[in-house]
Structures are given as structure tokens and as C-alpha cells.
Amino acid sequence: MSSSSDFQQDRHSFSGSPQKWTDFELPGDTLYYRFTSDMSNTEWGYKFTVTAGHLGRFQTGFEILKQMLSEERVIPHLPLAKIWEWQVGVACRQTGHQRLKAIHLLLKIVQCSSQGDCDLTLLKPLWQLFTHMENNSCQDTAKPAILLPLHRALAELFFVTENRVAELGSLQEYLLALNTEDHLHRCTAQ
């Protein structure tokens, strides 16, 4: 298998049992393959699966989705609820710059969505992370109040989301869904 018809670029050769085959990645949008039998037995051949794109290509997906969310004429045709659900999961699982980029996309989705497009209660794990960061920054008065990029990104996400929910008239339901019963009891006691 190769990315060029002359089998000179990105060449991968396999022979023998399927256990000897390994996953690999080829650049570009075309795969060339050649199957040659040595007629040593009467098996039917080999089967392989080709998947476009690579699940680990976060930057590519981010750029495509960011561009799509920037095009007003494209937004009505996007399955925003599914993209939202997927993107919240990405923001919860990723770390570092990838988490920041996922939060950036969540922010864009909140800004361009209409009522009912996104289940905002899915933000609960990120809300818990944010409130944990808030509590830690309030308790540590010895250090200057410099917010980490993740803290700033989450603050902006929840500020914009809260304003958006208030515009749509469902702020109380949103806040109740994000907070735990224990947190609500503590707030009431205060």
C-alpha cells in the first residue's frame, strides 16, 4: 500500500497472517494497493478497512468546525445538538490547548444557537471544574489573582451561556440543572 501510484511514497508492505498487519496512516486522499499471491496456499486473500481522517487529528477537526460555525448560511444546516453533545464530551476529556479549543467551539455554538438547539445541562462537569477553580482561587489569597487560561475560558463560556439562557427565559432551570443538591443546600444555608 502506498500514497503514490508508483508505490514509492509512504509504502507499507505486509505478508503472512493477519496478526502481522498493523494500523498505519497515509497522507492525502488516495490509497494505492497491490495484492500479489505466491500461490503457496488457497486462502481468499486479505481484507482491510480504510477510514478517512484520523481520530487523533484534533486540529483539523477544530479548524473545520470553527469555519463552519463562522458561516451564517451554514449554521441552519448543522446538527447543532449533536455537535454540542460531542463537543462537550471533547472539552471534558481533553486537556491543555485542546480543551481550550473545544471550549472556544462551545462558546461559538452557544452564540449562534437558538432555543432548544443545545442541552446546556451537559455542561455540568465543566461547571463543576469551573466552580472548583473558583473556590481554589478565592481560598488562596496569598497569590496574586491571575487566572489560568482554562479558568478564563470557562468563565467566559459560563458568562455568555448564562446571558443566553436569561434571554431565552430559562435561567432558573439552567442554574438548578448545573448545581448539585449539596451545593444548593450550602448556598441556602449561607
Side-chain angles (χ1 to χ4, degrees):
M1 293 182 209
S2 175
S3 62
S4 65
S5 59
D6 62 0
F7 294 90
Q8 298 301 309
Q9 296 175 332
D10 306 303
R11 184 180 172 152
H12 298 270
S13 296
F14 300 96
S15 179
S17 67
Q19 290 77 20
K20 293 182 179 179
W21 288 58
T22 59
D23 289 349
F24 62 92
E25 199 175 306
L26 285 178
D29 61 359
T30 306
L31 164 77
Y32 297 92
Y33 69 95
R34 181 182 306 145
F35 176 78
T36 307
S37 173
D38 63 3
M39 297 185 188
S40 61
N41 52 29
T42 58
E43 304 288 333
W44 65 269
Y46 286 97
K47 175 182 175 184
F48 58 90
T49 303
V50 177
T51 305
H54 187 277
L55 294 177
R57 299 290 179 206
F58 183 90
Q59 186 62 31
T60 302
F62 169 77
E63 292 297 336
I64 291 169
L65 193 50
K66 183 176 80 170
Q67 185 62 39
M68 291 173 73
L69 291 169
S70 298
E71 298 286 334
E72 285 186 35
R73 61 186 167 80
V74 173
I75 291 171
H77 304 288
L78 295 175
L80 285 180
K82 286 193 176 290
I83 293 170
W84 174 262
E85 184 178 339
W86 174 74
Q87 204 59 39
V88 169
V90 170
C92 290
R93 287 188 308 273
Q94 294 294 341
T95 59
H97 291 292
Q98 291 181 341
R99 177 179 272 173
L100 291 174
K101 288 179 179 184
I103 292 169
H104 172 79
L105 291 176
L106 289 173
L107 191 55
K108 288 182 90 53
I109 294 170
V110 166
Q111 291 168 330
C112 69
S113 67
S114 60
Q115 187 169 4
D117 277 346
C118 305
D119 181 359
L120 297 176
T121 62
L122 294 174
L123 291 173
K124 190 169 189 168
L126 293 174
W127 176 254
Q128 290 169 341
L129 174 62
F130 175 66
T131 55
H132 178 73
M133 295 176 95
E134 283 285 296
N135 291 337
N136 286 347
S137 69
C138 291
Q139 290 172 0
D140 194 1
T141 56
K143 290 184 181 177
I146 298 174
L147 296 181
L148 297 172
L150 176 58
H151 196 161
R152 287 194 318 265
L154 288 171
E156 183 177 7
L157 174 65
F158 287 111
F159 177 76
V160 170
T161 303
E162 189 175 313
N163 285 336
R164 184 76 176 122
V165 171
E167 288 171 8
L168 299 173
S170 54
L171 182 60
Q172 186 175 358
E173 295 86 6
Y174 166 73
L175 293 175
L176 286 172
L178 287 186
N179 289 290
T180 63
E181 192 173 318
D182 184 48
H183 177 74
L184 294 174
H185 285 299
R186 274 187 274 123
C187 290
T188 305
Q190 288 177 347

